[in-house]
């Protein structure tokens, strides 16, 4: 982008301008501190031309918005105010510019463009509008000197305009200056369009508000291709657009950079790779036209700094503090409940969090979204910009606070239960903390948090999310902690457990065996983490048909957990319960009067009748009774377990389906084959939907169903 500057400023005036597709420009005229330059004395060079530097090459998307706006500038229409709002860089000015061209072209309207970023610019621009619409020199001089109300003069001239008009008030990010002077009014002779970052309806009574957000993926890719058509294909452009959050300003700068390269042109593939390698905001901003050092506000990295400075000036430092805290998280929905906790005090006083959040919402720096839970969501480029500009001495406290907030949102001891979409909302934020981490101690806490979150997802039956979360946490944690850190190994172990539940038995065995060996070498054979991996490994081996190896590992796990955790610990009881499944009928028969077959009673005594481990012990005990040929007892017990599971977890939870499968066996053993077939038909259908047709559990279910159906 090599176009010349269209804007200019004199004396202390400054013009911040960027060029290119989806361009946004802001003009700020600052007068002398001692009033040496009367406000409004110097007017703009033109109000008939939009002060936008280089206009968009093509305005992508926005068709629905433009159709609605275009109808307002057709013949016979007037008296309307439209407010285009959105975050900085979203293309509000580009939409207004395109409408301006339509109105002055096909609509045959007079177009009037006023920069409304500050009082002086607004006043000077509006008086220039009055002059354009017929105000005399004496009237203008009286208004400039304060001898008559300036806004009244402007609107009298607009009301008596012989031609219909479109008035654009651009960059009205301080709507109070419009209200204080009563500058924003309506007239039957024309239409007003305002661009702003301030969406609150109280600023715009009677106006129609229109949000201008990021572009759809396909259109965002086309913006890059419009500017740099020879740098890559649509797929590569779409990947870069995703990485840039489809923000028009960022896309414009990226396309500008790609189009500027002469000696060593970059491809989109190269650009995308450099973004992924962490160059981020600095690389994006290299796409801007070269400006003097004191004119940097056209950069993505600084486009929101004006608002942050305004927070400080208005006595709202907590708004900046909250935005910096949000920049530790991901650009995904973040549950509002997390911000309403005492742990937020590490970044800003909890009592001021409400005020801070309202300020961010008011400036379109974040938005409220409802995804089944009320959340706040901020744009990726904004968060990256704020994170990059956060003073280094503030980062440790912000990161620690973010970890503690998420930590408070994850169950301390994850338990089995129904699907919980709220837990999945936390996953991208837990991983974002690891990506932004720089301190090993904070990284260790973040890995432990992500692993506990993966465990919670696993217990809810969401094995895929659990696996991906644990694996990503381990990969990210290795950067700061190394491959053999306790928390990294624990995350790998959790990923292995999830792989088993996903039916990836060989991969699960390989991973768990590797982790178990490392933990045993580093921490000892009876370390709780080692024992946890050993318990998981025996599950895999048992399902691979290697019963003897699995039983040996399980017995050592029981012994180790007895010594390390005590005989009544839930994990000890869980491992002992697993013996009821793994032991053959001959050994179970020898246990007829032993403690193993009385384990459910022991679990009730230590944990209570409704504890998940207690229910699991009843489940496994019913299997043991089935193997021993005690079908009536087994049927009664598994019925109770299946009913309890269904009430707690819902009909599709893996534990429910496992209990139902055993119930079909006990029903068939008692001669009720038709009921058994109905039960297994339902189990197989649910497993196919939840796990897939080729999952080992589904395959085993189909095999059992075939046996029952054939009377085998």
């Amino acid at each position: 982008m090599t176009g010349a500057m269209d804007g200019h400023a004199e004396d202390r005036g400054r013009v911040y301008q960027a060029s290119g597709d989806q361009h946004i420009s802001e003009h700020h005229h600052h007068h002398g501190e001692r009033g040496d330059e009367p406000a409004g004395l110097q007017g703009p060079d033109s109000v008939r031309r939009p002060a936008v530097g280089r206009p968009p090459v093509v305005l992508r998307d926005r068709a629905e918005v433009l159709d609605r706006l275009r109808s307002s500038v057709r013949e016979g229409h007037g008296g309307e105010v439209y407010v285009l709002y959105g975050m900085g860089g979203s293309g509000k000015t580009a939409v207004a510019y395109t409408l301006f061209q339509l109105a002055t072209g096909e609509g045959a309207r007079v177009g009037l463009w006023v920069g409304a970023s500050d009082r002086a610019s607004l006043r000077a621009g509006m008086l220039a509008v009055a002059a354009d619409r017929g105000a005399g020199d004496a009237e203008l001089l009286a208004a400039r000197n304060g001898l008559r109300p300036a806004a009244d003069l402007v609107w009298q001239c607009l009301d008596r305009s012989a031609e219909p008009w479109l008035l654009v008030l651009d960059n009205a990010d301080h709507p109070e200056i419009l209200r204080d002077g009563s500058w924003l009014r309506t007239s039957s002779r024309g239409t007003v369009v305002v661009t702003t970052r301030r969406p609150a309806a109280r600023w715009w009574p009677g106006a129609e508000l229109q949000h201008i957000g990021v572009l759809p993926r396909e259109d965002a890719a086309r913006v890059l291709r419009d500017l740099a058509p020879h740098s890559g294909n649509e797929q590569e452009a779409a990947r870069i657009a995703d990485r840039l959050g489809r923000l028009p300003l960022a896309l414009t700068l990226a396309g500008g950079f790609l189009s500027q390269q002469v000696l060593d042109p970059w491809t989109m593939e190269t650009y995308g790779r450099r973004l992924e390698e962490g160059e981020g905001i600095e690389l994006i901003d290299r796409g801007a036209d070269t400006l003097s050092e004191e004119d940097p506000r056209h950069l993505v990295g600084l486009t929101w700094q004006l608002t942050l400075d305004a927070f400080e000036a208005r006595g709202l430092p907590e708004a900046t503090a909250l935005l910096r805290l949000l920049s530790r998280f991901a650009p995904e929905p973040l549950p509002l409940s997390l911000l309403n906790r005492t742990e937020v005090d590490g970044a800003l006083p909890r009592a001021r969090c409400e005020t801070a959040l309202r300020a961010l919402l008011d400036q379109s720096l974040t938005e409220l979204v409802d995804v089944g839970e009320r959340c706040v969501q901020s744009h990726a480029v904004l968060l990256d910009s704020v994170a990059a500009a956060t003073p280094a001495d503030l980062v440790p406290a912000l990161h620690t606070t973010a970890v503690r907030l998420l930590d408070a949102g994850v169950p301390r001891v994850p338990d089995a239960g129904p699907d919980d979409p709220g837990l999945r909302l936390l996953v991208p934020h837990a991983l974002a903390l690891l990506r932004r981490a720089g301190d090993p101690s904070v990284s260790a806490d973040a890995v432990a948090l992500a692993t506990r979150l993966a465990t919670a997802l696993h217990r809810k039956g969401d094995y895929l999310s659990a696996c991906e979360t644990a694996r990503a946490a381990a990969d990210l944690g290795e950067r700061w902690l190394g491959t053999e850190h306790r928390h990294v190994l624990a995350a790998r172990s959790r990923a292995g457990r999830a792989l088993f539940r996903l039916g990836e038995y060989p991969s699960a065995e390989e991973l768990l065996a590797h982790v178990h060996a490392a933990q045993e070498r580093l921490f000892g054979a009876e370390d709780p983490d080692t024992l946890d991996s050993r318990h998981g490994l025996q599950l895999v081996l048992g399902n691979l048909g290697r019963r003897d190896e699995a039983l040996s590992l399980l017995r050592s796990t029981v012994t180790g957990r007895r010594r390390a955790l005590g005989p009544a610990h839930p994990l000890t009881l869980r491992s002992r319960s697993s013996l009821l499944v793994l032991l053959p009928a001959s050994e179970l028969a020898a246990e007829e009067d032993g403690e193993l077959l009385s384990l459910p009673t022991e679990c009730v005594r230590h944990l209570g009748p409704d504890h998940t481990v207690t229910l699991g012990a009843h489940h496994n005990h019913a299997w043991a009774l089935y193997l021993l040929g005690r079908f009536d007892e087994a049927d009664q017990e598994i019925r109770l377990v299946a009913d309890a599971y269904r009430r707690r977890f819902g009909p599709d939870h893996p534990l429910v389906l496992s209990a139902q499968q055993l119930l079909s066996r006990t029903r068939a053993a008692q001669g009720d084959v038709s009921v058994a077939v109905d039960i297994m038909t339902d189990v197989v259908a649910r497993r196919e939907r939840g796990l897939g047709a080729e999952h080992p559990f589904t395959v085993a279910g189909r095999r059992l169903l075939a046996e029952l159906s054939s009377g085998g």
Side-chain angles (χ1 to χ4, degrees):
M1 297 185 294
T2 57
M5 293 285 292
D6 289 338
H8 79 277
E10 299 177 359
D11 296 356
R12 290 193 176 96
R14 293 181 291 179
V15 178
Y16 302 101
Q17 179 167 324
S19 299
D21 193 14
Q22 302 290 345
H23 161 74
I24 295 173
S25 295
E26 300 185 28
H27 295 254
H28 303 270
H29 303 274
H30 303 279
H31 295 278
E33 294 179 1
R34 295 183 303 275
D36 53 345
E37 212 175 8
L41 188 58
Q42 297 293 327
D45 289 338
S46 173
V47 292
R48 289 292 191 101
R49 292 176 59 85
V52 297
R54 179 180 296 173
V57 176
V58 179
L59 186 72
R60 293 299 183 182
D61 190 45
R62 319 303 192 195
E64 183 179 345
V65 175
L66 279 174
D67 284 345
R68 187 178 305 117
L69 294 174
R70 181 182 289 159
S71 66
S72 72
V73 294
R74 292 192 179 116
E75 186 177 355
H77 285 262
E80 298 151 316
V81 176
Y82 295 88
V83 175
L84 310 181
Y85 72 91
M87 67 182 299
S90 62
K92 305 179 293 293
T93 296
V95 175
Y97 171 87
T98 303
L99 176 66
F100 190 96
Q101 297 302 108
L102 292 170
T104 56
E106 64 185 46
R109 291 205 173 207
V110 171
L112 304 166
W113 190 283
V114 173
S117 59
D118 58 65
R119 294 179 190 277
S121 298
L122 174 66
R123 182 181 178 85
M126 291 296 274
L127 286 174
V129 165
D132 183 275
R133 294 294 85 203
D137 290 344
E139 293 176 302
L140 292 169
L141 183 61
R144 287 177 180 139
N145 291 332
L147 299 178
R148 66 173 298 172
D152 288 350
L153 172 63
V154 173
W155 282 98
Q156 286 169 11
C157 293
L158 287 170
D159 284 338
R160 67 190 183 209
S161 172
E163 303 161 291
W165 44 261
L166 168 69
L167 171 63
V168 175
L169 301 177
D170 192 31
N171 293 324
D173 297 330
H174 302 284
E176 59 272 14
I177 68 177
L178 294 173
R179 185 176 63 184
D180 290 350
S182 190
W183 289 105
L184 181 59
R185 307 182 191 182
T186 60
S187 171
S188 61
R189 297 299 299 149
T191 300
V192 181
V193 172
V194 181
T195 72
T196 183
R197 302 182 187 189
R198 308 287 292 278
R202 69 179 183 277
W203 293 117
W204 318 109
E208 181 175 329
L209 273 67
Q210 174 63 56
H211 179 245
I212 306 298
V214 299
L215 293 170
R217 191 172 194 258
E218 183 177 338
D219 288 290
R222 286 176 178 170
V223 170
L224 290 171
R225 296 271 291 157
D226 290 338
L227 292 167
H230 305 298
S231 298
N233 57 38
E234 288 288 345
Q235 292 74 26
E236 292 167 333
R239 285 194 290 271
I240 294 175
D242 286 340
R243 179 62 181 82
L244 299 177
R246 310 195 305 278
L247 182 71
L249 176 58
L251 295 167
T252 298
L253 292 173
F257 176 84
L258 290 168
S259 67
Q260 287 171 1
Q261 305 307 299
V262 178
L263 292 177
D264 186 19
W266 284 25
T267 64
M268 289 188 184
E269 190 276 332
T270 301
Y271 189 89
R273 186 176 66 253
R274 296 287 286 270
L275 282 176
E276 293 299 329
E277 289 172 354
E279 293 195 37
I281 299 303
E282 292 182 2
L283 174 59
I284 298 170
D285 282 342
R286 286 168 63 186
D289 288 338
T290 303
L291 298 181
S292 60
E293 184 177 349
E294 66 270 18
D295 292 339
R297 300 189 191 191
H298 67 302
L299 304 175
V300 163
L302 295 176
T303 189
W304 298 283
Q305 191 59 47
L306 283 172
T307 304
L308 300 185
D309 292 343
F311 286 151
E312 298 290 338
R314 290 163 52 197
L316 285 171
E318 59 270 17
T320 301
L322 178 57
L323 188 58
R324 286 171 174 163
L325 176 61
L326 293 177
S327 75
R328 311 315 300 172
F329 296 115
E332 305 292 339
L334 179 73
L336 280 172
S337 57
L338 288 184
L339 301 178
N340 193 28
R341 298 179 182 274
T342 56
E343 289 82 2
V344 81
D345 285 336
L348 71 158
R350 182 184 181 187
R352 298 290 292 169
C353 198
E354 173 76 22
T355 301
L357 181 57
R358 286 204 307 269
L360 297 184
L361 293 169
D362 187 49
Q363 292 286 345
S364 297
L365 291 173
T366 193
E367 63 178 331
L368 295 177
V369 295
D370 193 332
V371 291
E373 181 172 352
R374 293 179 67 239
C375 296
V376 64
Q377 185 172 10
S378 305
H379 193 276
V381 175
L382 167 62
L383 297 181
D384 286 347
S385 300
V386 173
T390 299
D393 60 317
L394 299 179
V395 170
L398 289 170
H399 205 81
T400 299
T401 301
V403 171
R404 288 175 177 170
L405 285 170
L406 279 185
D407 186 76
V410 179
R412 183 61 48 190
V413 181
D415 194 8
D419 181 54
D420 184 358
L423 285 175
R424 285 193 291 276
L425 291 176
L426 304 183
V427 171
H429 303 294
L431 299 181
L433 291 178
L434 282 166
R435 291 189 184 95
R436 296 199 191 279
D439 181 272
S441 63
V442 177
S443 297
D445 290 341
V447 173
L449 161 65
T451 304
R452 199 169 86 247
L453 177 56
T455 303
L457 291 165
H458 185 115
R459 301 271 166 83
K460 303 298 184 185
D462 188 355
Y463 303 129
L464 182 59
S465 295
C467 183
E468 293 175 345
T469 302
R471 185 151 36 194
D475 290 343
L476 293 167
E478 278 186 2
R479 296 186 308 176
W480 304 105
L481 305 173
T483 59
E484 293 191 335
H485 190 278
R486 176 182 288 276
H487 292 335
V488 172
L489 289 170
R492 296 273 182 225
S493 180
R494 177 49 55 185
R497 299 284 288 272
L499 281 172
F500 161 65
R501 292 296 177 182
L502 289 169
E504 303 289 339
Y505 292 168
S507 298
E509 181 197 357
E510 180 182 3
L511 180 55
L512 285 169
H514 170 76
V515 171
H516 176 259
Q519 290 171 326
E520 193 169 45
R521 171 171 52 84
L522 294 167
F523 314 132
E526 294 187 355
D527 180 85
D529 285 356
T530 306
L531 293 168
D532 190 61
S533 295
R534 190 179 304 160
H535 183 91
L537 182 57
Q538 64 84 23
L539 287 171
V540 181
L541 296 178
N543 278 268
L544 285 171
R546 292 152 62 180
R547 182 180 295 271
D548 290 343
E549 293 176 70
L551 189 55
S552 176
L553 285 176
L554 182 55
R555 290 188 189 279
S556 67
T557 302
V558 171
T559 301
R561 281 182 164 172
R562 278 184 185 272
R563 282 201 285 258
L565 305 174
H569 192 280
L571 293 179
T572 305
L573 294 170
R574 176 173 291 168
S575 291
R576 290 175 61 198
S577 172
S578 295
L579 287 169
L580 290 166
V581 176
L582 209 52
L583 288 174
S586 58
E587 291 193 45
L588 287 171
E591 285 279 349
E592 285 282 1
D593 298 320
E595 65 175 13
L596 192 57
L597 287 178
S598 64
L599 186 61
T601 302
E602 189 175 346
C603 288
V604 170
R605 184 169 67 252
H606 293 302
L607 306 177
D610 297 322
H611 196 282
T612 303
V613 171
T614 302
L615 292 174
H618 279 294
H619 186 167
N620 293 348
H621 184 254
W623 170 258
L625 294 175
Y626 173 79
L627 287 182
L628 292 170
R630 295 158 60 174
F631 301 134
D632 288 346
E633 296 172 72
D635 187 73
Q636 291 176 16
E637 188 161 24
I638 197 59
R639 279 177 181 272
L640 294 174
V641 171
D643 288 343
Y645 280 164
R646 196 179 297 106
R647 286 195 302 271
R648 283 184 57 180
F649 310 142
D652 295 314
H653 194 281
L655 286 175
V656 175
L657 301 181
S658 178
Q660 289 287 93
Q661 180 164 311
L662 178 52
L663 179 59
S664 74
R665 290 181 181 274
T666 62
R667 287 283 82 208
Q670 292 183 300
D672 202 347
V673 177
S674 63
V675 172
V677 169
D678 289 343
I679 292 173
M680 274 313 300
T681 299
D682 181 64
V683 168
V684 170
R686 292 180 186 276
R687 280 184 173 160
E688 286 181 344
R689 288 198 300 269
L691 300 175
E694 302 308 316
H695 191 285
F697 291 176
T698 309
V699 172
R702 276 203 303 268
R703 188 182 306 119
L704 176 58
L705 176 59
E707 293 174 3
L708 294 173
S709 299
S710 65

